[in-house]
Amino acid sequence: MRALATDHGRTSLLREVMDWMLAPLIIAWPVSMVLSYFIAMGVAERVFDRGLEAKVRSLAENLVFNTATDNVLLNVDLQALLADDDAAAHEMRVDNVNGTFIGSSNLLRAKPELPVVASQRRISFSDQIIDGSRVRVAALSMIPANGESPVVVQLSELVTRRESLASDMLLSLLPLQLLSIPLAAALALLGLRQGIKPLNKLSNDLVARNQNDFTPLDVQRAPLELMPLVVGFNELLARVESENIRQQRFIDNAAHQLRTPLAGLLLTTELALRSQDDADRKRALELIYQATRRSAHTIDQLLTLTRAEHSGSESFEDVHLNDLILRVVEDRLPDAAAKSIDLGVDCREMKATTTGNPLLLGEMLTNLLDNAIRHTPPGGAVTVGIEGRESRWVLFVEDNGKGIPAADQSRIWERFFRGTPTDASDKPSPSGTGLGLAIVKEIADLHHAPVALVARPGRSGARFEVSLGAN
């Protein structure tokens, strides 16, 4: 049953619950009245049957067998016997095995239930129709005083008297039945208003909460019925807090990385505008171009990092690692050629397939490859490849550069960490953002793929390995 609509098509939970409670109650009321009538009729049947049984036994006690006439006599007048009752509603008949002794012929003949002895008085009940009216008949099998053969004493009673008693009982219950509906509705409404108080308190607490307060609601104090709501809301709070932290981290990272380049761009632009020398202006434009490229690269890296943080397993699909490696290596060939670096691929004729996000895995491999090319001196070598190891695919990128100092190896996954020069002649790469390996770690964690800098004693350079699940 649908709740009545309130303003703007909304429904009231309280009204809907009341509807679902009252509708069955209203439907059940006539059913209850019918059942009550049958119950009252059953009570009346038992009461009148006991009375009728007592009357027929009393009648039987006043029967005497006349040996002279071979007949049965009634020592008391029937109306006197039923003085406190309606004698017109009763009829009597006495039969032996041969025929009627005395009484009404309207009653059907009843034969004695043999065997019958003097001490036995068997009684049974039946229903008959007399002159269109239904009657209840009590039949008693007995041997009268001074008699030898058994007789059957029958006494009838109109059923209308029972129906009248049942109707009176039902009418006496009717006011209570009618009162029970509004009373039940009032009690239900009161109970529901009390029951939804925890929900109102929860709503008020949430309204009063500060927008930056992500403290979970106390699950232990929540009613059992509100537990799913509270647990779901706490999960939502956790997701919102995580999203808020990611957004704040992105803003902080962007401000940290773009403040200095933008200030440099502004200063260089002012100098170029003031300079009258074409050579100085050209040099300033070159600096502006380089700073703009670095800023654009930084923004791309920040967006990639944010995309990795927001991605989930719902975007995963089958990824062919061989094709992924060839595509990324082909894109990086110009950068390697500019430094005369030998960029090679070692796939060993494998057909490696994993499950993941192909765009993010491409970004991960691109950052590992860019990092290797950037830190490998001209004329060096960089190799990208796959190895099968314990039902997993190990994606590796290695170079023969100067490697990563031991003091920096524990911090290489930190954001904006660019490392320290390996000797006095080295300088941090101007094109590096310090985000490349942080992006690699974020994407690897998303794919539940361990990533590590592998030690290679006796060999120069660095080797990074990412262990991906195999399909």
Side-chain angles (χ1 to χ4, degrees):
M1 184 174 182
R2 294 180 60 85
L4 297 177
T6 60
D7 295 341
H8 308 295
R10 292 176 297 176
T11 59
S12 167
L13 179 61
L14 186 61
R15 185 174 297 177
E16 185 171 351
V17 173
M18 286 295 297
D19 286 349
W20 280 102
M21 289 182 63
L22 291 180
L25 186 62
I26 294 173
I27 294 173
W29 180 75
V31 177
S32 173
M33 294 299 295
V34 172
L35 292 177
S36 297
Y37 175 77
F38 282 108
I39 293 173
M41 194 64 190
V43 173
E45 288 279 357
R46 289 192 294 273
V47 171
F48 275 86
D49 278 353
R50 290 194 186 99
L52 188 60
E53 179 182 353
K55 294 170 187 175
V56 76
R57 289 186 184 279
S58 177
L59 180 62
E61 289 175 355
N62 288 278
L63 291 178
V64 178
F65 184 76
N66 189 337
T67 56
T69 60
D70 196 21
N71 203 346
V72 174
L73 300 176
L74 180 61
N75 286 338
V76 64
D77 184 60
L78 181 61
Q79 291 188 356
L81 184 65
L82 304 173
D84 296 333
D85 209 337
D86 183 8
H90 297 271
E91 291 188 9
M92 179 196 72
R93 175 171 176 162
V94 180
D95 291 271
N96 65 0
V97 294
N98 298 318
T100 304
F101 277 76
I102 58 174
S104 171
S105 61
N106 290 328
L107 292 175
L108 298 178
R109 181 188 175 192
K111 293 183 179 181
E113 298 180 7
L114 300 176
V116 175
V117 296
S119 61
Q120 283 184 331
R121 292 192 175 188
R122 297 183 177 181
I123 192 166
S124 62
F125 292 92
S126 63
D127 293 320
Q128 298 181 25
I129 303 296
I130 298 179
D131 296 333
S133 299
R134 195 162 64 92
V135 297
R136 183 74 165 169
V137 180
L140 177 64
S141 298
M142 60 169 289
I143 297 178
N146 302 322
E148 296 180 356
S149 61
V151 298
V152 177
V153 182
Q154 296 185 86
L155 184 64
S156 70
E157 182 180 59
L158 289 174
V159 174
T160 52
R161 305 182 66 213
R162 302 164 184 245
E163 294 173 344
S164 177
L165 177 60
S167 298
D168 291 343
M169 294 173 63
L170 187 63
L171 288 175
S172 66
L173 291 174
L174 185 60
L176 181 60
Q177 291 273 5
L178 293 175
L179 182 63
S180 64
I181 295 179
L183 181 62
L187 293 176
L189 182 61
L190 178 63
L192 287 173
R193 289 189 182 278
Q194 290 295 118
I196 64 175
K197 278 187 176 181
L199 187 60
N200 294 331
K201 183 179 183 304
L202 177 63
S203 175
N204 294 333
D205 291 345
L206 293 177
V207 171
R209 178 176 288 218
N210 185 277
Q211 61 183 5
N212 295 320
D213 185 4
F214 299 105
T215 306
L217 299 175
D218 189 356
V219 178
Q220 300 299 325
R221 298 180 61 183
L224 186 62
E225 292 77 10
L226 294 182
M227 282 284 290
L229 176 63
V230 173
V231 171
F233 188 79
N234 285 343
E235 293 177 354
L236 177 62
L237 278 178
R239 291 196 297 270
V240 172
E241 182 180 23
S242 178
E243 182 66 22
N244 187 65
I245 292 173
R246 282 196 291 263
Q247 290 181 0
Q248 188 61 45
R249 185 187 301 166
F250 176 81
I251 294 172
D252 294 343
N253 291 342
H256 177 271
Q257 287 299 300
L258 297 179
R259 185 183 296 112
T260 300
L262 289 176
L265 277 172
L266 181 61
L267 179 60
T268 305
T269 303
E270 290 177 353
L271 292 176
L273 291 173
R274 293 176 184 176
S275 177
Q276 302 297 322
D277 186 7
D278 290 342
D280 289 341
R281 267 186 265 181
K282 182 178 180 181
R283 188 163 47 253
L285 288 175
E286 290 176 350
L287 292 174
I288 292 173
Y289 173 72
Q290 294 175 2
T292 303
R293 285 194 62 184
R294 287 196 300 271
S295 297
H297 180 60
T298 299
I299 292 173
D300 287 341
Q301 293 287 72
L302 287 171
L303 291 175
T304 300
L305 187 60
T306 302
R307 186 164 64 249
E309 290 177 337
H310 284 72
S311 296
S313 58
E314 65 274 3
S315 61
F316 284 10
E317 60 185 72
D318 288 344
V319 180
H320 296 281
L321 295 177
N322 307 71
D323 297 340
L324 180 70
I325 291 174
L326 294 176
R327 185 174 68 251
V328 172
V329 168
E330 184 177 356
D331 291 341
R332 300 272 74 79
L333 277 176
D335 295 334
K339 293 182 67 174
S340 300
I341 291 176
D342 180 15
L343 180 55
V345 176
D346 181 11
C347 290
R348 299 182 184 179
E349 303 297 330
M350 292 181 180
K351 296 297 181 181
T353 305
T354 190
T355 300
N357 185 311
L359 295 177
L360 292 179
L361 289 176
E363 290 287 349
M364 179 185 70
L365 183 57
T366 297
N367 279 278
L368 286 174
L369 198 52
D370 284 345
N371 190 68
I373 293 174
R374 187 180 303 115
H375 293 92
T376 299
V382 175
T383 303
V384 184
I386 308 172
E387 293 179 356
R389 192 182 301 168
E390 296 180 357
S391 301
R392 296 183 71 86
W393 296 117
V394 177
L395 181 66
F396 67 88
V397 177
E398 63 181 12
D399 61 70
N400 61 353
K402 295 182 179 180
I404 299 174
D408 294 343
Q409 291 181 9
S410 61
R411 300 187 59 195
I412 58 175
W413 309 111
E414 296 179 9
R415 301 182 182 195
F416 308 116
F417 180 74
R418 299 188 183 184
T420 55
T422 54
D423 56 51
S425 63
D426 287 340
K427 295 180 181 180
S429 172
S431 61
T433 62
L435 290 173
L437 291 180
I439 292 173
V440 170
K441 185 70 167 60
E442 192 74 34
I443 295 175
D445 289 345
L446 174 65
H447 290 79
H448 304 288
V451 58
L453 171 65
V454 180
R456 300 189 301 169
R459 299 182 62 182
S460 62
R463 177 185 172 102
F464 286 90
E465 292 184 351
V466 182
S467 178
L468 297 163
N471 285 357

